């Protein structure tokens, strides 16, 4: 660990202005040896993440944009904070204490990632920054009762921290003044080769430490109970290239246009983060391990990146340019009493901690 004298300052710089005149900031936190994260206050998003390879060469490993305008023009969730409810709610309705709650149907008949104006479309406040024990920034957002149809005023705090040993920590806390839902996640799009080179992620070797996943219907809503990954293209327990079975004639691969499924992590909600996934990029030697306390992990193989979005390094983002591993509650849990609950009551605190730990082979 670097001592205080060696730490680089947290840099705060302008990143554009919203149409209503509010300023967006970028905050850059350094862990040393080139490991650095850049966070923008619009959507509390990770705009860049620089990671060294086995030779010490540093590359940005997440999709994103160089300025604010494309974040406003198109909604791709690049690096964004998702809420109030990450993933999908079937029929855009759920019942809470006998009351039917209606949320925006922004993906056909269903609601995705918090509706039309989810947390990824909000300007977050910078509450505090610090360098002890490692560089960190705390952001907050207050979602009013009824916003996007969700009950309760939700006070959300998000802390990003970066360490000298190559770990990015993302911690959420939330409280509400009445019963509601809370299911927040980080929607990073990763490519460990470095996004500047434009390589596919299909050769990345993925391990997911889960024995079961949730099959989906044509609208990406879970069909029901978890199903074993045994003998299917969804079995990543031993470590397999992402592309090894992505073109198999499996009904779930067809419905998802690749992988876009929730993996059911052992033990559900846990107090301390446990290892959920590991990704290795053989050529660069970069390794990312994801630890989380959440009950589910959505694995998305970048199936709907179609070249319509241009990003950093003058690249058009296309299918399989990135993968997402999103720790969260299970999709449609508010309508499934057999799934781990995403309910938050007054007096309780929602806590989500995920660690992105980088190393090399």
């Amino acid at each position: 660990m670097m001592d205080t004298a060696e730490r680089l300052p947290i840099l705060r710089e302008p990143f554009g202005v919203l149409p209503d005149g509010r300023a967006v900031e970028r905050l850059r936190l350094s862990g040393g040896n080139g490991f650095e994260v850049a966070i923008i206050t619009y959507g509390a998003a990770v705009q860049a993440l620089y990671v060294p390879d086995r030779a010490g060469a540093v590359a940005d490993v997440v999709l994103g944009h160089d300025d604010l305008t494309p974040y406003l023009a198109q909604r791709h969730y690049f690096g964004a904070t998702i809420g109030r409810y990450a993933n999908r709610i079937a029929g855009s309705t759920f019942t809470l204490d006998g009351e039917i709650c209606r949320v925006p149907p922004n993906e056909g008949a269903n609601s995705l990632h918090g509706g039309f104006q989810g947390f990824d479309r909000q300007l977050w406040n910078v509450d505090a920054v610090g360098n002890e024990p490692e560089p960190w920034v705390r952001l907050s957002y207050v979602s009013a009762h009824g916003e996007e149809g969700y009950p309760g005023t939700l006070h959300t705090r998000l802390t990003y921290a970066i360490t000298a040993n190559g770990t990015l920590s993302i911690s959420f806390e939330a409280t509400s003044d009445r019963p509601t839902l809370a299911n927040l996640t980080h929607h990073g799009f990763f490519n460990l080769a470095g996004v500047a080179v434009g390589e596919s992620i299909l050769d990345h070797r993925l391990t997911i430490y889960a024995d079961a996943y949730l099959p989906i219907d044509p609208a990406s809503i879970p069909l029901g109970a978890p199903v074993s990954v045994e003998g299917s293209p969804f079995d990543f327990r031993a470590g397999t290239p992402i592309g090894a079975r992505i073109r198999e004639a499996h009904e779930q691969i067809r419905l998802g246009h690749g992988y876009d499924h929730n993996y059911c992590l052992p033990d559900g909600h846990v107090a301390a983060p446990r290892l959920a996934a590991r990704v290795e990029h053989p050529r660069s030697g970069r390794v990312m391990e994801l630890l989380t306390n959440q009950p589910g992990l959505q694995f998305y193989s970048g199936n709907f990146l179609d070249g319509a979005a241009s990003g950093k390094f003058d690249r058009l983002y296309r299918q399989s340019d990135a993968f997402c591993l999103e720790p969260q509650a299970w999709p449609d849990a508010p309508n499934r009493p057999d799934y781990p609950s995403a309910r938050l009551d007054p007096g309780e605190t929602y806590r989500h901690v995920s660690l992105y730990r980088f190393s090399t082979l």
Side-chain angles (χ1 to χ4, degrees):
M1 182 183 297
M2 294 183 296
D3 62 34
T4 305
E6 293 176 308
R7 293 200 187 101
L8 297 175
I10 297 171
L11 299 179
R12 300 179 66 166
E13 53 197 9
F15 196 75
V17 179
L18 295 174
D20 62 8
R22 291 179 295 166
V24 176
E25 274 193 278
R26 177 167 58 186
L27 299 97
R28 294 166 55 188
L29 284 63
S30 174
N33 299 315
F35 185 49
E36 179 181 300
V37 64
I39 298 146
I40 59 172
T41 52
Y42 180 73
V46 171
Q47 183 263 337
L49 180 60
Y50 290 91
V51 179
D53 67 8
R54 65 163 64 92
V58 175
D60 187 357
V61 299
V62 295
L63 304 191
H65 301 293
D66 289 316
D67 58 72
L68 181 61
T69 300
Y71 284 102
L72 301 177
Q74 292 181 297
R75 192 183 190 190
H76 295 287
Y77 307 106
F78 293 146
T81 292
I82 305 299
R84 290 191 191 187
Y85 200 89
N87 217 308
R88 295 166 175 89
I89 296 178
S92 301
T93 62
F94 60 93
T95 301
L96 199 62
D97 295 337
E99 180 181 350
I100 297 176
C101 301
R102 304 187 187 279
V103 291
N106 62 329
E107 189 186 59
N110 306 316
S111 188
L112 173 67
H113 290 338
F116 291 106
Q117 297 297 321
F119 286 10
D120 62 297
R121 306 292 279 179
Q122 307 299 334
L123 183 65
W124 290 61
N125 185 62
V126 179
D127 288 348
V129 298
N131 255 326
E132 295 293 339
E134 302 284 359
W136 58 271
V137 57
R138 183 176 303 121
L139 307 171
S140 65
Y141 176 68
V142 178
S143 177
H145 170 62
E147 182 177 275
E148 295 296 281
Y150 289 91
T153 298
L154 193 75
H155 292 259
T156 302
R157 298 165 297 282
L158 165 57
T159 301
Y160 284 103
I162 194 167
T163 70
N165 66 357
T167 298
L168 173 65
S169 168
I170 304 178
S171 302
F172 301 93
E173 289 189 350
T175 57
S176 177
D177 60 355
R178 67 182 72 192
T180 190
L181 304 180
N183 178 29
L184 312 178
T185 196
H186 171 65
H187 206 309
F189 283 73
F190 297 94
N191 186 322
L192 300 184
V195 298
V197 299
E199 290 185 13
S200 165
I201 49 86
L202 296 181
D203 65 340
H204 286 47
R205 188 173 184 85
L206 171 65
T207 305
I208 299 179
Y209 300 95
D211 297 329
Y213 77 104
L214 295 179
I216 56 173
D217 69 12
S220 295
I221 298 298
L223 291 171
V227 170
S228 172
V229 300
E230 182 75 32
S232 80
F234 292 85
D235 190 349
F236 286 93
R237 292 174 296 180
T240 305
I242 290 173
R245 297 166 297 187
I246 202 168
R247 290 181 174 83
E248 286 192 12
H250 189 284
E251 178 67 4
Q252 285 298 308
I253 294 288
R254 185 186 69 80
L255 288 172
H257 299 270
Y259 297 100
D260 192 8
H261 295 75
N262 177 78
Y263 281 77
C264 307
L265 298 177
D267 304 318
H269 290 278
V270 292
R274 80 299 207 184
L275 187 61
R278 175 184 171 96
V279 188
E280 302 172 354
H281 180 238
R283 182 180 60 77
S284 70
R286 291 188 183 93
V287 175
M288 183 180 84
E289 292 179 310
L290 171 59
L291 297 84
T292 185
N293 67 344
Q294 293 299 288
L297 181 67
Q298 186 82 5
F299 169 42
Y300 171 57
S301 52
N303 318 320
F304 297 101
L305 297 171
D306 60 3
S310 60
K312 296 174 290 188
F313 309 103
D314 294 321
R315 291 286 181 183
L316 292 176
Y317 295 146
R318 298 191 178 278
Q319 189 177 62
S320 302
D321 275 357
F323 65 88
C324 301
L325 292 169
E326 306 157 57
Q328 57 192 247
W330 296 6
D332 202 32
N335 292 312
R336 296 297 307 244
D338 52 329
Y339 288 3
S341 176
R343 180 185 177 116
L344 178 67
D345 285 316
E348 298 177 340
T349 300
Y350 166 86
R351 290 187 172 89
H352 171 166
V353 180
S354 290
L355 308 175
Y356 298 79
R357 190 165 64 193
F358 294 90
S359 59
T360 56
L361 296 171

